[in-house]
Amino acid sequence: MSDATLAMPAAPRAARPRHARLIIAAMLISTFMAAVEVTVISTAMPVIVSKLGGFHLFAWAFGIYLLAQAVMTPLYGRIADSFGRKPVYLASTSLFLVGSLLCGCAHSMVTLIVFRAIQGIGGGGLAPLGTTIIGDVCAPEDRPRIMGYVSGVWGIAAIAGPMLGAFFVHTLGWQFCFWVNLPVGLVTMTMVWRFLRDSAQTRSRAPIDLAGCVLLVAGLGLMMAALIQCEALPTAQLVLLLAVAFVALAGFGLRERQVRHPLLPLHLMFRPLLITANLSSLLAGTLLIGMTAFLPPLIQGVMGRDALDAGIVIGVLSVSWTIASMTIGRVVGRVPNRVLAVGAGIAMTIGMAVLVPIADGRSLGWLTLIVIPIGIGMGLTSIVFTLAVQGSVPAHERGRSIALFFFSRLMGQALGAAAFGGVLNAGLADTHGHDLMQALVNPRLRAALSPAHLAAATTRLDQALHGVFVLAAVLALAALAVACFTPRRAEQNP
């Protein structure tokens, strides 16, 4: 669904233990906000699309937010290492809240996508900065326990999120799926403003590589456009988009090798532990978006259930994530990293392999059971690699390392949304996707369909979603293969 002390010297931390606890509480609340954002939107999106139109832009509502998050995540890591955690966190949260407010005011899918981009630019700092700040205020021996709480809070929020989404859709309106972030975000900003004290020891001022950021945005954005619209675009335009995307990404790679202070430092990218951690994070991100974004259309559109049923399924996945994270957080360090990573890969692979035929059978009960091993695998992957990355780099590189880890997950989610969205659009290429979805998720319109038309519509959407889950199963197998190369243990740094 993902991951030094207050002023690094022991004396300030010992003198302000209450402040450290309050800062950790603020970061837990921030994690809750980030988690609720994902799950509330996932269960509400079929209804939002039916209200705003533009089903062919369905994947962009997820993808643009994730792309903005992914690109901004390493930038926030660099800025936080240079200028301190506090001002950067406050700026990130403020922009996220502005985007959330605007999203609730959207009157079309296009405006929603624009506002989601603003929300994503701010949201790119929430998870990595929160995790980095916790790493700063916690002693090394306390990090596994606290990070278990962080991952657990993500799961708890993810349980509440689908239910909130269903509640808002049926009562106050879908707009409150975005506006719910406002009071939560203001609480975290107040606590950070009041209690967090940055240390000069966590700062390493360096120029920001804005040109590299532009190349990365262009490359990833064009690649996503090609993936999502691959069925609709003429071959020449598709080839041109991909060519320009690869040129931009190649230019980004060359620039990273040449600039003195790169956006994604190569010496961090090619450490053995960080390679496997970031690849695993990327693949887990694709599976996360595959479950949270594309199970609700199956449940609501194909099975004819409501947003609450979709919320229950996503909630069960989140409960599994939570239990796995909080349980394994107590034994990390005593069990080799490779054993835990391979176990996570096996759980996700088994779950996805069984999900494909179960989804075709349209059994909500079996579907609910099958997401359990998938959630367990995601929870294990998140906590194991977050702790490994946190503990294997010195304090002055922790912000960039954690940001790189979250960047990989967000990249996986963004590209996953694009790839899965492209598969879905291809499956519905010769139908009116918005009309189909609107008819299937709106109870009144669904009841008005003749049995023959209803069967044809649900079968067509079911077949399109089948391709999504087959692709997800292949990616789960790839995650298992990557896990086999995980170093058994990581070098620990204070």
Side-chain angles (χ1 to χ4, degrees):
M1 84 283 208
S2 20
D3 340 19
T5 60
L6 248 182
M8 283 302 291
R13 188 184 69 221
R16 299 175 182 264
R18 178 171 171 269
H19 286 188
R21 289 195 296 269
L22 289 171
I23 293 165
I24 291 171
M27 295 305 98
L28 295 178
I29 295 172
S30 183
T31 300
F32 181 90
M33 178 171 62
V36 164
E37 167 63 20
V38 174
T39 54
V40 166
I41 299 309
S42 65
T43 55
M45 274 308 298
V47 174
I48 294 174
V49 170
S50 73
K51 300 290 186 180
L52 299 182
F55 178 77
H56 64 288
L57 299 174
F58 177 87
W60 276 113
F62 292 95
I64 195 66
Y65 174 81
L66 295 166
L67 174 62
Q69 270 194 314
V71 172
M72 292 302 299
T73 291
L75 192 60
Y76 278 120
R78 164 63 73 184
I79 297 173
D81 283 345
S82 298
F83 300 100
R85 323 302 195 205
K86 180 176 178 176
V88 179
Y89 178 84
L90 293 175
S92 169
T93 307
S94 298
L95 194 55
F96 175 80
L97 296 183
V98 170
S100 298
L101 177 63
L102 292 174
C103 283
C105 301
H107 56 81
S108 68
M109 186 59 72
V110 173
T111 56
L112 177 63
I113 290 169
V114 172
F115 297 149
R116 287 280 280 171
I118 297 173
Q119 190 185 32
I121 291 172
L126 294 182
L129 289 174
T131 305
T132 301
I133 290 170
I134 287 176
D136 289 342
V137 303
C138 286
E141 62 270 17
D142 292 332
R143 287 175 193 153
R145 176 174 58 86
I146 299 301
M147 288 310 303
Y149 294 155
V150 171
S151 192
V153 166
W154 184 281
I156 293 170
I159 297 167
M163 308 305 173
L164 285 172
F167 172 77
F168 291 143
V169 165
H170 291 296
T171 56
L172 300 176
W174 62 265
Q175 294 87 348
F176 283 86
C177 295
F178 298 101
W179 292 343
V180 70
N181 295 320
L182 301 179
V184 180
L186 291 174
V187 169
T188 65
M189 291 178 66
T190 301
M191 295 175 74
V192 169
W193 175 266
R194 176 67 180 84
F195 299 113
L196 181 60
R197 298 293 181 269
D198 273 329
S199 166
Q201 195 165 349
T202 63
R203 301 183 185 182
S204 176
R205 291 187 181 273
I208 307 301
D209 183 18
L210 295 179
C213 185
V214 171
L215 288 171
L216 186 61
V217 170
L220 294 177
L222 292 174
M223 183 176 292
M224 286 182 59
L227 289 172
I228 294 175
Q229 303 298 132
C230 61
E231 185 66 27
L233 291 174
T235 303
Q237 292 184 17
L238 183 63
V239 171
L240 179 61
L241 275 180
L242 289 173
V244 176
F246 281 118
V247 168
L249 292 176
F252 171 75
L254 290 174
R255 182 172 179 80
E256 293 298 281
R257 295 176 63 89
Q258 296 171 357
V259 297
R260 183 177 180 183
H261 300 286
L263 192 64
L264 299 176
L266 294 181
H267 75 280
L268 293 179
M269 294 178 69
F270 293 107
R271 293 178 182 177
L273 174 65
L274 296 185
I275 289 175
T276 53
N278 292 328
L279 282 175
S280 295
S281 184
L282 185 144
L283 291 168
T286 63
L287 294 176
L288 178 61
I289 196 66
M291 296 298 97
T292 57
F294 293 91
L295 277 178
L298 174 74
I299 296 168
Q300 295 170 251
V302 177
M303 298 181 181
R305 306 294 184 123
D306 59 20
L308 179 60
D309 291 318
I312 290 172
V313 174
I314 303 299
V316 168
L317 183 144
S318 303
V319 169
S320 306
W321 178 311
T322 304
I323 293 174
S325 298
M326 298 186 73
T327 301
I328 208 66
R330 299 180 180 275
V331 301
V332 170
R334 299 197 295 268
V335 179
N337 289 331
R338 185 183 299 166
V339 172
L340 296 174
V342 170
I346 290 173
M348 289 189 291
T349 300
I350 291 174
M352 290 305 312
V354 179
L355 174 63
V356 173
I358 292 298
D360 287 345
R362 306 182 189 179
S363 171
L364 186 64
W366 279 109
L367 187 64
T368 305
L369 291 176
I370 292 307
V371 299
I372 293 176
I374 299 174
I376 291 173
M378 290 180 179
L380 290 177
T381 298
S382 176
I383 188 68
V384 168
F385 285 114
T386 299
L387 289 171
V389 172
Q390 249 188 358
S392 64
V393 296
H396 70 277
E397 290 185 337
R398 190 171 293 132
R400 281 173 289 169
S401 298
I402 292 294
L404 180 60
F405 179 72
F406 279 97
F407 170 81
S408 300
R409 179 186 298 176
L410 292 169
M411 272 290 301
Q413 290 180 272
L415 294 178
F420 293 140
V423 171
L424 182 62
N425 285 341
L428 301 173
D430 57 352
T431 62
H432 297 288
H434 167 264
D435 295 337
L436 179 67
M437 178 60 73
Q438 186 178 41
L440 292 178
V441 302
N442 186 303
R444 181 180 58 83
L445 296 178
R446 188 182 181 99
L449 293 175
S450 67
H453 286 156
L454 178 61
T458 54
T459 298
R460 188 57 185 270
L461 182 58
D462 195 14
Q463 290 173 346
L465 288 168
H466 174 80
V468 169
F469 299 127
V470 169
L471 176 58
V474 172
L475 293 172
L477 187 60
L480 174 58
V482 170
C484 294
F485 293 94
T486 304
R488 292 179 62 83
R489 295 189 186 275
E491 178 184 354
Q492 296 297 306
N493 283 275

